[in-house]
Amino acid sequence: MQTLKWSFRPLPFMQECRERYGDAFSVKFATFERPMVMISDPAAIKALYKERSHGLPPGREVILTPIVGPHSLLVIEGADHLAHRKLMLPPFHGERMRSYEPLVEEIVDAEIDRWPLGEEFAIHPRMQAITLEVILRVVFGVAEGERLQRLREVLTTVLEETASPFAQLTGLVSRRFGGRGPWAKFEKQLKAADELLYAEIAEHRARGGFEERDDMLSMMMAARFEDGSEMSDEDLRDQLMTLLLAGHETTATALAWTFDLLLRHAGPLARLRDSLAEGEEDYLRATISESLRLRPVVPLAGRRLSVDLETDDLHLPAGTDVTPAIWLAHTRAESYPEPFAFRPERFLDDPPDTYSWIPFGGGIRRCIGAAFAEFEMRIVLREVLTRCELHKASPAPEKIGRRNITISPRAGTPVVLTSRHPAQERELLPA
Ligand code: HEM
């Protein structure tokens, strides 16, 4: 019953638990052998994320390894994990990211030009198209051509196959029963994706000159571990699949939620447009923080305790599975006055706090793409709001559903585009 509630009504289920049990409680998911302790008090979250030796969250390795592979940053641990993080971080640094801006802008503008005028369409799939293209061209460094088109098709199918909350379960079940059915079909797609990825890696190697190239694959190829060795092709393939799986759906969903919130809140929308017209981005950053607070797309980012966790109120022994309930942490009245209101202003003077604002998790496993996701979101929001007049197709708030690991807008956030400026004549439309 708890698994069903979590799958289909995650936020009301969390709220019920908070009302009954307070800041900490445990949930028994059908797929995990141990109960999962959920915490939302920043002191407990700090105690959890400050300890570097805790293990992976339960289930992550079993569910993700068949897709991302055994070398993936998402599933490796200890010294291997730290060495890989060190090698993979530089492409995500601020200076580097700024060099991606023209390409991301071009991708967003091309997508906006495809939107129908005066007709209802769901914005979530349009955001997925943008974030997939950004991963393929900025992260993988694939040039326009046949391989890019094949990768778009094959990876879209792979991602769709893993989308429903049951897909991963049925995948696991069918593997256990001889690898037939949906899992076999999925494996065929994954094999096709692998062939394309290995071909891209081989082409990158043959071309060389990694130091002069901007894409993240080239940077990972140029980087060396402390012992002077480089990433193998298998390692690179697993990290590419990891960046795709971790960075595509999450960013697209965060964008869809931000549009859902903005288009239903005229005050913040008008203020955002005014600030963009003045070339100012503080309110844009605050809007993104507030959207990720109210609609954290990844609901859990847990650990298996390697040592006891102690706070004034909690004692959890080593071996316990613990995760922040991210939405509960973000809607604690003690941390955020009027916790359910959409008020970007709250982050204008006070930047988000490390342990009460955790859409990207925390500690040594904190999302490696956090700054990149926010950078991409800023460009998309800026381009769309300065070029387009968009309206919600219905005034009702979006219902919450589950896709992959995310909490996602169930109807895909239907909108109507009533006017559009050409990219080169971008100017601010009235709010
Ligand atoms: C709004 C968008 C995103 C959200 C909400 C998000 C959220 C998260 C969360 C909650 C975690 C787990 C952190 C933990 O266990 O403490 C994570 C890990 C990760 N994310 Fe993101 N993410 C986003 C975008 C991205 C992007 C754009 C990329 C890369 C292109 C990315 C790559 C990763 C990777 C590689 C990890 C594993 C880090 C590790 O285990 O060391 N994410 N993300």
Side-chain angles (χ1 to χ4, degrees):
M1 186 52 81
Q2 295 183 13
T3 308
L4 282 179
K5 281 188 174 176
W6 171 250
S7 296
F8 293 103
R9 298 179 64 247
L11 302 192
F13 174 50
M14 286 292 97
Q15 179 70 3
E16 276 163 38
C17 291
R18 165 158 59 194
E19 281 163 11
R20 264 175 97 169
Y21 307 110
D23 267 337
F25 51 87
S26 60
V27 173
K28 182 77 188 80
F29 291 121
T31 36
F32 298 149
E33 83 259 25
R34 301 180 199 179
M36 172 85 76
V37 176
M38 303 226 173
I39 54 175
S40 48
D41 175 358
I45 294 170
K46 182 173 181 180
L48 179 72
Y49 282 154
K50 281 207 105 172
E51 174 56 56
R52 296 163 74 93
S53 67
H54 293 324
L56 279 175
R60 188 189 274 192
E61 199 190 344
V62 186
I63 291 172
L64 292 183
T65 309
I67 306 162
V68 294
H71 308 284
S72 162
L73 190 68
L74 281 162
V75 300
I76 52 180
E77 296 196 74
D80 195 20
H81 173 252
L82 281 184
H84 273 80
R85 253 186 99 94
K86 208 166 156 198
L87 201 133
M88 289 171 71
L89 268 169
F92 291 100
H93 280 163
E95 273 307 311
R96 271 289 179 186
M97 278 193 314
R98 265 188 284 286
S99 68
Y100 307 136
E101 188 155 346
L103 181 52
V104 178
E105 247 175 39
E106 187 189 313
I107 291 169
V108 180
D109 281 331
E111 176 56 37
I112 292 175
D113 289 337
R114 285 190 280 270
W115 294 352
L117 265 175
E119 275 172 41
E120 180 177 323
F121 67 97
I123 209 163
H124 188 213
R126 303 326 320 148
M127 294 299 116
Q128 288 169 319
I130 291 176
T131 58
L132 179 61
E133 200 67 10
V134 168
I135 299 260
L136 291 178
R137 293 180 58 194
V138 175
V139 178
F140 294 11
V142 187
E144 285 285 4
E146 203 186 317
R147 191 178 303 131
L148 180 62
Q149 183 51 28
R150 281 283 297 139
L151 272 167
R152 276 189 203 118
E153 288 161 14
V154 172
L155 291 176
T156 305
T157 322
V158 167
L159 293 163
E160 275 306 314
E161 297 277 334
T162 61
S164 97
F166 283 127
Q168 290 161 0
L169 293 183
T170 51
L172 288 176
V173 172
S174 66
R175 259 189 308 153
R176 280 190 195 143
F177 289 97
R180 287 187 295 275
W183 184 257
K185 203 173 123 211
F186 176 66
E187 274 191 328
K188 215 171 133 201
Q189 291 296 331
L190 202 57
K191 199 163 163 269
D194 278 356
E195 278 165 18
L196 292 163
L197 291 179
Y198 280 120
E200 188 61 37
I201 292 169
E203 196 176 299
H204 265 67
R205 281 212 195 282
R207 205 168 31 208
F210 308 131
E211 281 77 10
E212 288 84 59
R213 294 174 57 96
D214 267 345
D215 63 88
M216 295 192 188
L217 173 57
S218 293
M219 279 181 251
M220 287 195 287
M221 283 177 145
R224 295 289 176 268
F225 292 111
E226 263 166 21
D227 66 1
S229 65
E230 59 180 30
M231 276 200 201
S232 67
D233 284 2
E234 290 72 26
D235 206 333
L236 288 165
R237 176 269 172 212
D238 288 1
Q239 307 315 341
L240 291 182
M241 207 46 121
T242 299
L243 296 173
L244 171 74
L245 203 79
H248 156 71
E249 182 80 22
T250 44
T251 314
T253 306
L255 279 162
W257 280 127
T258 311
F259 282 112
D260 178 63
L261 289 163
L262 277 172
L263 298 179
R264 287 189 297 106
H265 292 87
L269 177 61
R271 185 159 177 193
L272 177 55
R273 282 191 152 150
D274 288 348
S275 69
L276 290 173
E278 282 157 23
E280 204 263 292
E281 295 212 331
D282 287 353
Y283 199 78
L284 178 61
R285 287 170 193 268
T287 301
I288 292 169
S289 302
E290 178 68 342
S291 168
L292 287 168
R293 181 188 73 82
L294 266 182
R295 295 285 183 268
V297 295
V298 180
L300 311 174
R303 309 283 185 262
R304 176 161 287 175
L305 300 188
S306 59
V307 292
D308 294 1
L309 184 148
E310 301 273 0
T311 67
D312 289 348
D313 309 315
L314 269 184
H315 170 84
L316 299 170
T320 311
D321 292 337
V322 185
T323 182
I326 297 180
W327 181 77
L328 290 184
H330 287 184
T331 51
R332 268 178 112 242
E334 295 86 337
S335 306
Y336 297 101
E338 291 185 72
F340 301 104
F342 177 64
R343 287 205 300 109
E345 290 74 13
R346 70 174 89 234
F347 289 117
L348 268 184
D349 295 326
D350 296 316
D353 169 77
T354 316
Y355 299 110
S356 56
W357 186 86
I358 47 163
F360 298 108
I364 54 158
R365 297 207 87 103
R366 185 176 192 268
C367 175
I368 199 176
F372 185 73
E374 290 182 281
F375 156 83
E376 187 177 349
M377 288 178 75
R378 283 197 297 278
I379 298 179
V380 175
L381 289 163
R382 197 184 64 208
E383 291 301 296
V384 173
L385 294 177
T386 49
R387 288 193 55 201
C388 303
E389 176 134 19
L390 273 184
H391 301 273
K392 273 286 280 167
S394 139
E398 259 282 8
K399 292 214 170 71
I400 288 162
R402 297 280 311 280
R403 266 181 70 86
N404 291 321
I405 49 160
T406 63
I407 288 198
S408 160
R410 204 182 288 172
T413 307
V415 297
V416 179
L417 173 68
T418 52
S419 88
R420 170 175 47 211
H421 281 275
Q424 60 277 25
E425 289 170 26
R426 196 176 306 128
E427 67 177 72
L428 211 73
L429 289 164

